[in-house]
Amino acid sequence: FGVGGDLAFNWGYSNNGCRIVLTGGYLSPADVNDDGTRGLGNDFAINPKINTGASVYANEISNIQDCQRARSCGTNVRVQGTDHGSGHTLKGGPVYGNYAIYVSNDLKTFPTSGFLETRVHDNCTA
């Protein structure tokens, strides 16, 4: 993910929100509208407390930005892939992997074999 820390879910701040973030990254304070918190399932220019608004700045996977505040990135906010809103500041790019989060109350370590079935298809056109 690019930074360490624990998972935080539904991080809402000002008129923005992210479904999943890491606490080791930058976490915008609740009343600061800096578009600075990035993670998985990002939505900007909405009301995160009641999940209203259709954001043209939504994006599924955001990179950690080089600029201190995402708003100061201007029209060069980098996101992974093309699954993002039509906002003029969003620039789609490569996807750096597949993301999955597994949660368990019982496991202390994640099994490395025999737990998940993985298939590779050589005829994929996506």
Side-chain angles (χ1 to χ4, degrees):
F1 288 116
V3 297
D6 295 325
L7 294 175
F9 295 91
N10 298 320
W11 192 267
Y13 61 102
S14 186
N15 68 338
N16 309 299
C18 298
R19 290 289 176 209
I20 303 173
V21 298
L22 287 167
T23 59
Y26 175 73
L27 299 176
S28 300
D31 60 345
V32 174
N33 185 18
D34 62 1
D35 298 349
T37 300
R38 301 289 168 152
L40 301 177
N42 306 286
D43 238 333
F44 301 93
I46 59 152
N47 184 335
K49 293 181 181 176
I50 57 175
N51 197 24
T52 61
S55 175
V56 297
Y57 298 104
N59 59 85
E60 293 305 321
I61 307 169
S62 182
N63 299 337
I64 296 171
Q65 307 300 309
D66 292 333
C67 43
Q68 184 177 16
R69 290 179 30 176
R71 282 185 169 233
S72 64
C73 290
T75 59
N76 193 28
V77 177
R78 295 176 326 278
V79 299
Q80 292 187 37
T82 57
D83 185 10
H84 58 75
S86 60
H88 70 284
T89 61
L90 301 176
K91 303 295 179 207
V95 176
Y96 297 112
N98 295 312
Y99 299 89
I101 297 172
Y102 299 93
V103 179
S104 172
N105 287 328
D106 301 322
L107 293 177
K108 298 294 181 206
T109 61
F110 189 79
T112 57
S113 65
F115 189 75
L116 297 175
E117 181 177 332
T118 304
R119 295 181 182 159
V120 177
H121 298 278
D122 60 2
N123 61 349
C124 182
T125 59

PDB file of all heavy atoms in Angstrom, residues 32-61:
ATOM      1  N   VAL A  32     -11.007  19.486   8.131  1.00  0.00           N
ATOM      2  CA  VAL A  32     -10.064  20.046   7.157  1.00  0.00           C
ATOM      3  C   VAL A  32     -10.390  19.517   5.766  1.00  0.00           C
ATOM      4  O   VAL A  32     -10.400  18.314   5.537  1.00  0.00           O
ATOM      5  CB  VAL A  32      -8.611  19.698   7.544  1.00  0.00           C
ATOM      6  CG1 VAL A  32      -7.641  20.154   6.467  1.00  0.00           C
ATOM      7  CG2 VAL A  32      -8.265  20.331   8.881  1.00  0.00           C
ATOM      8  N   ASN A  33     -10.629  20.421   4.833  1.00  0.00           N
ATOM      9  CA  ASN A  33     -10.960  20.046   3.461  1.00  0.00           C
ATOM     10  C   ASN A  33      -9.717  20.167   2.586  1.00  0.00           C
ATOM     11  O   ASN A  33      -9.595  21.063   1.763  1.00  0.00           O
ATOM     12  CB  ASN A  33     -12.084  20.931   2.918  1.00  0.00           C
ATOM     13  CG  ASN A  33     -12.536  20.481   1.544  1.00  0.00           C
ATOM     14  OD1 ASN A  33     -12.280  19.362   1.126  1.00  0.00           O
ATOM     15  ND2 ASN A  33     -13.206  21.359   0.832  1.00  0.00           N
ATOM     16  N   ASP A  34      -8.769  19.251   2.769  1.00  0.00           N
ATOM     17  CA  ASP A  34      -7.528  19.325   2.011  1.00  0.00           C
ATOM     18  C   ASP A  34      -7.385  18.217   0.968  1.00  0.00           C
ATOM     19  O   ASP A  34      -6.380  18.154   0.276  1.00  0.00           O
ATOM     20  CB  ASP A  34      -6.331  19.315   2.944  1.00  0.00           C
ATOM     21  CG  ASP A  34      -6.225  18.042   3.768  1.00  0.00           C
ATOM     22  OD1 ASP A  34      -7.068  17.129   3.606  1.00  0.00           O
ATOM     23  OD2 ASP A  34      -5.293  17.949   4.587  1.00  0.00           O
ATOM     24  N   ASP A  35      -8.379  17.354   0.840  1.00  0.00           N
ATOM     25  CA  ASP A  35      -8.326  16.229  -0.106  1.00  0.00           C
ATOM     26  C   ASP A  35      -7.062  15.403   0.090  1.00  0.00           C
ATOM     27  O   ASP A  35      -6.560  14.786  -0.838  1.00  0.00           O
ATOM     28  CB  ASP A  35      -8.396  16.720  -1.559  1.00  0.00           C
ATOM     29  CG  ASP A  35      -9.680  17.439  -1.887  1.00  0.00           C
ATOM     30  OD1 ASP A  35     -10.613  17.394  -1.066  1.00  0.00           O
ATOM     31  OD2 ASP A  35      -9.758  18.051  -2.955  1.00  0.00           O
ATOM     32  N   GLY A  36      -6.529  15.385   1.296  1.00  0.00           N
ATOM     33  CA  GLY A  36      -5.226  14.792   1.528  1.00  0.00           C
ATOM     34  C   GLY A  36      -5.206  13.311   1.868  1.00  0.00           C
ATOM     35  O   GLY A  36      -4.184  12.665   1.722  1.00  0.00           O
ATOM     36  N   THR A  37      -6.298  12.754   2.359  1.00  0.00           N
ATOM     37  CA  THR A  37      -6.302  11.341   2.725  1.00  0.00           C
ATOM     38  C   THR A  37      -6.654  10.509   1.499  1.00  0.00           C
ATOM     39  O   THR A  37      -7.675  10.739   0.859  1.00  0.00           O
ATOM     40  CB  THR A  37      -7.307  11.077   3.861  1.00  0.00           C
ATOM     41  OG1 THR A  37      -6.910  11.860   4.988  1.00  0.00           O
ATOM     42  CG2 THR A  37      -7.335   9.617   4.246  1.00  0.00           C
ATOM     43  N   ARG A  38      -5.807   9.554   1.187  1.00  0.00           N
ATOM     44  CA  ARG A  38      -5.976   8.701   0.007  1.00  0.00           C
ATOM     45  C   ARG A  38      -5.945   7.247   0.426  1.00  0.00           C
ATOM     46  O   ARG A  38      -5.238   6.878   1.350  1.00  0.00           O
ATOM     47  CB  ARG A  38      -4.868   8.961  -1.014  1.00  0.00           C
ATOM     48  CG  ARG A  38      -4.815  10.390  -1.499  1.00  0.00           C
ATOM     49  CD  ARG A  38      -5.986  10.656  -2.378  1.00  0.00           C
ATOM     50  NE  ARG A  38      -6.142  12.080  -2.645  1.00  0.00           N
ATOM     51  CZ  ARG A  38      -6.687  12.545  -3.736  1.00  0.00           C
ATOM     52  NH1 ARG A  38      -7.124  11.725  -4.656  1.00  0.00           N
ATOM     53  NH2 ARG A  38      -6.838  13.830  -3.911  1.00  0.00           N
ATOM     54  N   GLY A  39      -6.728   6.421  -0.259  1.00  0.00           N
ATOM     55  CA  GLY A  39      -6.765   5.005   0.062  1.00  0.00           C
ATOM     56  C   GLY A  39      -7.549   4.251  -0.979  1.00  0.00           C
ATOM     57  O   GLY A  39      -7.462   4.530  -2.168  1.00  0.00           O
ATOM     58  N   LEU A  40      -8.354   3.307  -0.526  1.00  0.00           N
ATOM     59  CA  LEU A  40      -9.215   2.521  -1.408  1.00  0.00           C
ATOM     60  C   LEU A  40     -10.650   3.022  -1.248  1.00  0.00           C
ATOM     61  O   LEU A  40     -11.137   3.150  -0.136  1.00  0.00           O
ATOM     62  CB  LEU A  40      -9.147   1.034  -1.057  1.00  0.00           C
ATOM     63  CG  LEU A  40      -7.777   0.376  -1.131  1.00  0.00           C
ATOM     64  CD1 LEU A  40      -7.862  -1.083  -0.693  1.00  0.00           C
ATOM     65  CD2 LEU A  40      -7.196   0.476  -2.517  1.00  0.00           C
ATOM     66  N   GLY A  41     -11.315   3.300  -2.352  1.00  0.00           N
ATOM     67  CA  GLY A  41     -12.692   3.783  -2.312  1.00  0.00           C
ATOM     68  C   GLY A  41     -12.778   5.236  -1.895  1.00  0.00           C
ATOM     69  O   GLY A  41     -13.316   5.558  -0.849  1.00  0.00           O
ATOM     70  N   ASN A  42     -12.230   6.121  -2.694  1.00  0.00           N
ATOM     71  CA  ASN A  42     -12.164   7.550  -2.389  1.00  0.00           C
ATOM     72  C   ASN A  42     -13.347   8.294  -2.994  1.00  0.00           C
ATOM     73  O   ASN A  42     -13.730   8.034  -4.123  1.00  0.00           O
ATOM     74  CB  ASN A  42     -10.872   8.136  -2.958  1.00  0.00           C
ATOM     75  CG  ASN A  42      -9.657   7.384  -2.483  1.00  0.00           C
ATOM     76  OD1 ASN A  42      -9.257   7.512  -1.347  1.00  0.00           O
ATOM     77  ND2 ASN A  42      -9.078   6.581  -3.358  1.00  0.00           N
ATOM     78  N   ASP A  43     -13.893   9.234  -2.263  1.00  0.00           N
ATOM     79  CA  ASP A  43     -14.976  10.080  -2.759  1.00  0.00           C
ATOM     80  C   ASP A  43     -14.736  11.493  -2.252  1.00  0.00           C
ATOM     81  O   ASP A  43     -14.516  11.699  -1.061  1.00  0.00           O
ATOM     82  CB  ASP A  43     -16.334   9.591  -2.269  1.00  0.00           C
ATOM     83  CG  ASP A  43     -17.281   9.280  -3.397  1.00  0.00           C
ATOM     84  OD1 ASP A  43     -17.131   9.882  -4.479  1.00  0.00           O
ATOM     85  OD2 ASP A  43     -18.179   8.458  -3.191  1.00  0.00           O
ATOM     86  N   PHE A  44     -14.782  12.456  -3.160  1.00  0.00           N
ATOM     87  CA  PHE A  44     -14.508  13.847  -2.814  1.00  0.00           C
ATOM     88  C   PHE A  44     -15.684  14.710  -3.242  1.00  0.00           C
ATOM     89  O   PHE A  44     -16.380  14.402  -4.192  1.00  0.00           O
ATOM     90  CB  PHE A  44     -13.205  14.307  -3.477  1.00  0.00           C
ATOM     91  CG  PHE A  44     -12.041  13.462  -3.057  1.00  0.00           C
ATOM     92  CD1 PHE A  44     -11.654  12.363  -3.800  1.00  0.00           C
ATOM     93  CD2 PHE A  44     -11.359  13.756  -1.891  1.00  0.00           C
ATOM     94  CE1 PHE A  44     -10.591  11.569  -3.401  1.00  0.00           C
ATOM     95  CE2 PHE A  44     -10.296  12.967  -1.477  1.00  0.00           C
ATOM     96  CZ  PHE A  44      -9.914  11.870  -2.234  1.00  0.00           C
ATOM     97  N   ALA A  45     -15.894  15.821  -2.539  1.00  0.00           N
ATOM     98  CA  ALA A  45     -16.998  16.753  -2.800  1.00  0.00           C
ATOM     99  C   ALA A  45     -18.348  16.075  -2.579  1.00  0.00           C
ATOM    100  O   ALA A  45     -19.243  16.120  -3.407  1.00  0.00           O
ATOM    101  CB  ALA A  45     -16.902  17.345  -4.202  1.00  0.00           C
ATOM    102  N   ILE A  46     -18.466  15.398  -1.440  1.00  0.00           N
ATOM    103  CA  ILE A  46     -19.701  14.710  -1.039  1.00  0.00           C
ATOM    104  C   ILE A  46     -19.970  15.033   0.430  1.00  0.00           C
ATOM    105  O   ILE A  46     -19.225  15.778   1.040  1.00  0.00           O
ATOM    106  CB  ILE A  46     -19.570  13.179  -1.209  1.00  0.00           C
ATOM    107  CG1 ILE A  46     -18.404  12.662  -0.353  1.00  0.00           C
ATOM    108  CG2 ILE A  46     -19.388  12.799  -2.655  1.00  0.00           C
ATOM    109  CD1 ILE A  46     -18.559  11.272   0.103  1.00  0.00           C
ATOM    110  N   ASN A  47     -20.994  14.443   1.003  1.00  0.00           N
ATOM    111  CA  ASN A  47     -21.216  14.511   2.439  1.00  0.00           C
ATOM    112  C   ASN A  47     -20.960  13.109   2.995  1.00  0.00           C
ATOM    113  O   ASN A  47     -21.822  12.239   2.914  1.00  0.00           O
ATOM    114  CB  ASN A  47     -22.636  14.960   2.768  1.00  0.00           C
ATOM    115  CG  ASN A  47     -22.840  15.116   4.266  1.00  0.00           C
ATOM    116  OD1 ASN A  47     -22.149  14.504   5.069  1.00  0.00           O
ATOM    117  ND2 ASN A  47     -23.791  15.950   4.628  1.00  0.00           N
ATOM    118  N   PRO A  48     -19.765  12.856   3.554  1.00  0.00           N
ATOM    119  CA  PRO A  48     -19.431  11.498   3.977  1.00  0.00           C
ATOM    120  C   PRO A  48     -20.237  10.998   5.169  1.00  0.00           C
ATOM    121  O   PRO A  48     -20.336   9.802   5.386  1.00  0.00           O
ATOM    122  CB  PRO A  48     -17.945  11.595   4.330  1.00  0.00           C
ATOM    123  CG  PRO A  48     -17.747  13.008   4.731  1.00  0.00           C
ATOM    124  CD  PRO A  48     -18.691  13.805   3.862  1.00  0.00           C
ATOM    125  N   LYS A  49     -20.822  11.900   5.936  1.00  0.00           N
ATOM    126  CA  LYS A  49     -21.581  11.478   7.114  1.00  0.00           C
ATOM    127  C   LYS A  49     -22.901  10.818   6.745  1.00  0.00           C
ATOM    128  O   LYS A  49     -23.379   9.947   7.450  1.00  0.00           O
ATOM    129  CB  LYS A  49     -21.813  12.652   8.048  1.00  0.00           C
ATOM    130  CG  LYS A  49     -20.524  13.148   8.662  1.00  0.00           C
ATOM    131  CD  LYS A  49     -20.757  14.287   9.598  1.00  0.00           C
ATOM    132  CE  LYS A  49     -19.426  14.745  10.156  1.00  0.00           C
ATOM    133  NZ  LYS A  49     -19.567  15.908  11.006  1.00  0.00           N
ATOM    134  N   ILE A  50     -23.496  11.250   5.642  1.00  0.00           N
ATOM    135  CA  ILE A  50     -24.759  10.637   5.217  1.00  0.00           C
ATOM    136  C   ILE A  50     -24.665  10.079   3.798  1.00  0.00           C
ATOM    137  O   ILE A  50     -25.656   9.673   3.218  1.00  0.00           O
ATOM    138  CB  ILE A  50     -25.933  11.635   5.328  1.00  0.00           C
ATOM    139  CG1 ILE A  50     -25.664  12.896   4.524  1.00  0.00           C
ATOM    140  CG2 ILE A  50     -26.218  11.970   6.775  1.00  0.00           C
ATOM    141  CD1 ILE A  50     -26.839  13.861   4.505  1.00  0.00           C
ATOM    142  N   ASN A  51     -23.437  10.055   3.258  1.00  0.00           N
ATOM    143  CA  ASN A  51     -23.146   9.443   1.957  1.00  0.00           C
ATOM    144  C   ASN A  51     -24.038   9.996   0.847  1.00  0.00           C
ATOM    145  O   ASN A  51     -24.702   9.267   0.141  1.00  0.00           O
ATOM    146  CB  ASN A  51     -23.265   7.924   2.042  1.00  0.00           C
ATOM    147  CG  ASN A  51     -22.571   7.257   0.862  1.00  0.00           C
ATOM    148  OD1 ASN A  51     -21.669   7.831   0.263  1.00  0.00           O
ATOM    149  ND2 ASN A  51     -22.993   6.058   0.543  1.00  0.00           N
ATOM    150  N   THR A  52     -24.046  11.313   0.726  1.00  0.00           N
ATOM    151  CA  THR A  52     -24.834  11.923  -0.335  1.00  0.00           C
ATOM    152  C   THR A  52     -23.930  12.684  -1.288  1.00  0.00           C
ATOM    153  O   THR A  52     -22.830  13.101  -0.936  1.00  0.00           O
ATOM    154  CB  THR A  52     -25.872  12.912   0.220  1.00  0.00           C
ATOM    155  OG1 THR A  52     -25.184  13.960   0.909  1.00  0.00           O
ATOM    156  CG2 THR A  52     -26.849  12.222   1.131  1.00  0.00           C
ATOM    157  N   GLY A  53     -24.414  12.846  -2.477  1.00  0.00           N
ATOM    158  CA  GLY A  53     -23.686  13.576  -3.502  1.00  0.00           C
ATOM    159  C   GLY A  53     -23.085  12.620  -4.504  1.00  0.00           C
ATOM    160  O   GLY A  53     -22.646  11.535  -4.167  1.00  0.00           O
ATOM    161  N   ALA A  54     -23.123  13.013  -5.738  1.00  0.00           N
ATOM    162  CA  ALA A  54     -22.512  12.217  -6.801  1.00  0.00           C
ATOM    163  C   ALA A  54     -21.203  12.889  -7.168  1.00  0.00           C
ATOM    164  O   ALA A  54     -21.182  13.926  -7.818  1.00  0.00           O
ATOM    165  CB  ALA A  54     -23.447  12.143  -8.007  1.00  0.00           C
ATOM    166  N   SER A  55     -20.120  12.324  -6.718  1.00  0.00           N
ATOM    167  CA  SER A  55     -18.833  12.963  -6.889  1.00  0.00           C
ATOM    168  C   SER A  55     -18.221  12.655  -8.246  1.00  0.00           C
ATOM    169  O   SER A  55     -18.075  11.492  -8.620  1.00  0.00           O
ATOM    170  CB  SER A  55     -17.872  12.507  -5.794  1.00  0.00           C
ATOM    171  OG  SER A  55     -16.587  13.030  -6.026  1.00  0.00           O
ATOM    172  N   VAL A  56     -17.846  13.703  -8.955  1.00  0.00           N
ATOM    173  CA  VAL A  56     -17.093  13.517 -10.197  1.00  0.00           C
ATOM    174  C   VAL A  56     -15.627  13.251  -9.882  1.00  0.00           C
ATOM    175  O   VAL A  56     -14.841  12.962 -10.765  1.00  0.00           O
ATOM    176  CB  VAL A  56     -17.229  14.731 -11.143  1.00  0.00           C
ATOM    177  CG1 VAL A  56     -18.673  14.924 -11.570  1.00  0.00           C
ATOM    178  CG2 VAL A  56     -16.676  15.992 -10.513  1.00  0.00           C
ATOM    179  N   TYR A  57     -15.271  13.338  -8.591  1.00  0.00           N
ATOM    180  CA  TYR A  57     -13.891  13.099  -8.173  1.00  0.00           C
ATOM    181  C   TYR A  57     -13.701  11.750  -7.480  1.00  0.00           C
ATOM    182  O   TYR A  57     -12.691  11.521  -6.832  1.00  0.00           O
ATOM    183  CB  TYR A  57     -13.423  14.224  -7.249  1.00  0.00           C
ATOM    184  CG  TYR A  57     -13.441  15.555  -7.943  1.00  0.00           C
ATOM    185  CD1 TYR A  57     -14.443  16.472  -7.681  1.00  0.00           C
ATOM    186  CD2 TYR A  57     -12.473  15.876  -8.884  1.00  0.00           C
ATOM    187  CE1 TYR A  57     -14.483  17.696  -8.340  1.00  0.00           C
ATOM    188  CE2 TYR A  57     -12.505  17.081  -9.553  1.00  0.00           C
ATOM    189  CZ  TYR A  57     -13.508  17.990  -9.275  1.00  0.00           C
ATOM    190  OH  TYR A  57     -13.547  19.176  -9.930  1.00  0.00           O
ATOM    191  N   ALA A  58     -14.665  10.866  -7.608  1.00  0.00           N
ATOM    192  CA  ALA A  58     -14.541   9.533  -7.005  1.00  0.00           C
ATOM    193  C   ALA A  58     -13.455   8.745  -7.730  1.00  0.00           C
ATOM    194  O   ALA A  58     -13.261   8.878  -8.938  1.00  0.00           O
ATOM    195  CB  ALA A  58     -15.866   8.787  -7.093  1.00  0.00           C
ATOM    196  N   ASN A  59     -12.732   7.923  -6.977  1.00  0.00           N
ATOM    197  CA  ASN A  59     -11.770   6.994  -7.576  1.00  0.00           C
ATOM    198  C   ASN A  59     -11.570   5.823  -6.638  1.00  0.00           C
ATOM    199  O   ASN A  59     -11.662   5.958  -5.438  1.00  0.00           O
ATOM    200  CB  ASN A  59     -10.450   7.688  -7.930  1.00  0.00           C
ATOM    201  CG  ASN A  59      -9.779   8.320  -6.746  1.00  0.00           C
ATOM    202  OD1 ASN A  59      -9.051   7.676  -6.025  1.00  0.00           O
ATOM    203  ND2 ASN A  59     -10.044   9.606  -6.530  1.00  0.00           N
ATOM    204  N   GLU A  60     -11.331   4.668  -7.228  1.00  0.00           N
ATOM    205  CA  GLU A  60     -11.246   3.445  -6.428  1.00  0.00           C
ATOM    206  C   GLU A  60      -9.904   3.276  -5.723  1.00  0.00           C
ATOM    207  O   GLU A  60      -9.844   2.881  -4.585  1.00  0.00           O
ATOM    208  CB  GLU A  60     -11.540   2.219  -7.301  1.00  0.00           C
ATOM    209  CG  GLU A  60     -12.973   2.163  -7.783  1.00  0.00           C
ATOM    210  CD  GLU A  60     -13.992   2.233  -6.660  1.00  0.00           C
ATOM    211  OE1 GLU A  60     -13.782   1.634  -5.592  1.00  0.00           O
ATOM    212  OE2 GLU A  60     -15.005   2.919  -6.832  1.00  0.00           O
ATOM    213  N   ILE A  61      -8.822   3.566  -6.432  1.00  0.00           N
ATOM    214  CA  ILE A  61      -7.496   3.359  -5.851  1.00  0.00           C
ATOM    215  C   ILE A  61      -6.662   4.604  -6.125  1.00  0.00           C
ATOM    216  O   ILE A  61      -6.412   4.951  -7.275  1.00  0.00           O
ATOM    217  CB  ILE A  61      -6.778   2.139  -6.454  1.00  0.00           C
ATOM    218  CG1 ILE A  61      -7.650   0.891  -6.378  1.00  0.00           C
ATOM    219  CG2 ILE A  61      -5.445   1.904  -5.756  1.00  0.00           C
ATOM    220  CD1 ILE A  61      -7.116  -0.279  -7.173  1.00  0.00           C
TER     221      ILE A  61
END
